[in-house]
Every structure is written in C-alpha cells, then in structure tokens.
C-alpha cells in the first residue's frame, strides 16, 4: 500500500467513522504525509491507529483523537492559531491547511528548528515553529483565534486563556483523576465558557501536572 492510499484508508477507517465530518480536515489529512514527521524507523507505521513518540515527551496522536479535537476547535480560514508543543510539526502542518496563519511553540530550540524545516520542505509557508516556554504561550504574537494543545494536561496555564481573542477557542485535553476529556474553552470578555466534547487519553504533556497535596 502506498502512502497516499494509506492516508485515504486512515481517513476512511479512523476519522470518518468517529464523526469527523469536516471535509477540509479530511483534505488536510490526505495532503500532509505523516511519515515526514516521524523518525525513519516509524515510517511504515505512520498510519497505524496508535500514538507515535516523535521525541521525548512529544507524540503524534492517533488520527481519531487529533481530528476530533481539530474539528471541535472550529478553525476558520481567516483564523490565527497558536500550536502549543508542536513536536515534530505535524499538528502545525494540518492546522496550516485550515487557518490563515499558524505559529507553533516548542521548548527545545533544535526541535523547533527541525519542525520548521519539515514545514518548509512541504512548502507550507503560513506556519512556523519557534522556541519558547510552552506554559507561557506566545504573547508577542497573540492574541489568537485558536490555541491548540498537543497533549493532555491537568493544569491549564492562565496565560493560554489570556492570549485568546474575543470568541477565541482553547482546544485541550484535560485530565482529572482517571477521567480525560477533550474540552473547548471559549472567551467572552474576561470569562471563559467550557464544553466537553469527547473522551480521549493522548499522552500527557510533561510539566502540567497538579501539585501534590499532603495530608497530615
């Protein structure tokens, strides 16, 4: 099976059956080669239905979970998007097919540079990945219409919410005990409405755990 057929099969068996109906997302998944964003040793497994570790603490999600959260974020063609913890750059590449501009932020400078190089190799010129503290977002380039977080967290930094435009959406997987849910936070003035959209359990994003409490 060649890669184009594998992408189509992934969409038909993992994405469409899980209520992802936005054809723009289908087209983005079809046109962005997942294998480019994985180590060579993982290329043959690029379209299998599980998470792939791309570097320490960074993963390419299962297509089902990723596509469902992207659809829930309701990204529009004129949106500016912040991609938190971009990893190898795959999420930024997909988001760039849907939005006007995407900027990814990664903790490690070498990781950010490598992700940007992959985007360049695919002629994706409306997305870039820069180095920075992912917990702080990227205030210098905000505010954003959408902030997309690659990994599940227990704690949501206030900085992420503060960098949303009015009616902006924060798309994130939140862990609470044994439960893990995809949520969309929408800004209205200084308030944030929240809705849970589906259950999912992608790997945790390191550094966003709740502080342990001590019982005496």
């Amino acid at each position: 099976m060649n890669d184009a057929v594998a992408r189509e099969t992934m969409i038909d068996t993992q994405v469409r059956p899980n209520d992802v109906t936005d054809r723009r997302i289908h087209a983005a998944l079809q046109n962005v080669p997942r294998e480019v964003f994985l180590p060579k040793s993982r290329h043959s497994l690029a379209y299998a239905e599980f998470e792939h570790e791309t570097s320490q603490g960074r993963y390419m999600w299962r297509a089902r979970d990723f596509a469902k959260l992207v659809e829930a974020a309701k990204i529009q063609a004129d949106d500016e998007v912040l991609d938190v913890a971009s990893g190898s750059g795959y999420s930024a590449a997909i988001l760039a097919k849907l939005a006007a501009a995407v900027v990814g932020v990664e903790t490690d400078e070498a990781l950010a540079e490598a992700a940007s190089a992959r985007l360049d190799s695919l002629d994706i010129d409306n997305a870039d990945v820069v180095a920075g503290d992912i917990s702080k977002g990227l205030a210098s380039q905000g505010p954003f219409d959408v902030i997309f977080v690659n990994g599940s967290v227990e704690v949501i930094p206030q900085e992420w919410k503060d960098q949303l435009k009015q009616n902006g959406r924060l798309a994130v997987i939140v862990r609470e005990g044994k439960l893990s849910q995809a949520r969309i936070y929408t800004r209205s003035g200084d308030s944030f409405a929240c809705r849970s959209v589906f259950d999912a359990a992608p790997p945790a994003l390191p550094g966003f755990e709740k502080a342990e409490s001590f019982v005496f």
Side-chain angles (χ1 to χ4, degrees):
M1 183 185 299
N2 66 40
D3 291 330
V5 173
R7 286 195 289 277
E8 186 173 355
T9 301
M10 177 189 73
I11 294 163
D12 288 342
T13 61
Q14 300 176 38
V15 177
R16 294 181 194 271
N18 284 289
D19 300 321
V20 178
T21 60
D22 189 334
R23 293 182 180 180
R24 299 176 308 141
I25 296 174
H26 299 167
L29 293 171
Q30 182 67 60
N31 291 323
V32 175
R34 282 167 70 92
E35 65 275 6
V36 169
F37 298 89
L38 289 172
K40 287 185 178 180
S41 62
R42 309 288 290 181
H43 281 194
S44 63
L45 301 173
Y47 301 96
E49 195 172 0
F50 51 77
E51 289 92 6
H52 299 274
E53 187 172 22
T54 58
S55 59
Q56 186 173 3
R58 299 292 184 268
Y59 290 82
M60 179 184 289
W61 294 7
R62 291 191 302 159
R64 175 261 188 192
D65 293 342
F66 176 70
K68 284 179 76 70
L69 189 59
V70 171
E71 183 167 68
K74 298 186 183 301
I75 298 169
Q76 303 301 308
D78 58 351
D79 280 349
E80 296 178 333
V81 178
L82 174 63
D83 187 45
V84 174
S86 298
S88 63
Y90 178 73
S91 55
I94 296 294
L95 297 172
K97 298 291 186 180
L98 306 173
V102 177
V103 59
V105 60
E106 251 307 341
T107 305
D108 183 82
E109 185 171 355
L111 196 58
E113 290 179 353
S116 290
R118 294 185 187 96
L119 296 172
D120 288 343
S121 74
L122 296 175
D123 295 323
I124 298 174
D125 58 8
N126 64 329
D128 193 17
V129 180
V130 301
D133 184 343
I134 61 174
S135 71
K136 303 298 183 184
L138 205 61
S140 63
Q141 298 197 39
F144 301 96
D145 297 287
V146 174
I147 296 178
F148 188 94
V149 182
N150 290 281
S152 61
V153 302
E154 292 181 340
V155 176
I156 297 175
Q158 185 62 38
E159 287 90 342
W160 292 352
K161 293 181 177 180
D162 289 343
Q163 290 170 35
L164 290 174
K165 295 180 182 179
Q166 292 302 309
N167 300 314
R169 287 87 65 204
L170 169 63
V172 60
I173 308 290
V174 178
R175 302 193 318 278
E176 292 183 345
K178 294 182 179 180
L179 299 177
S180 184
Q181 290 186 324
R183 295 181 183 173
I184 303 296
Y185 292 84
T186 303
R187 182 168 195 166
S188 177
D190 292 328
S191 299
F192 298 87
C194 172
R195 62 185 178 95
S196 297
V197 287
F198 63 95
D199 294 333
L205 188 60
F208 296 88
E209 300 82 11
K210 289 183 178 177
E212 292 187 11
S213 59
F214 294 91
V215 178
F216 296 92

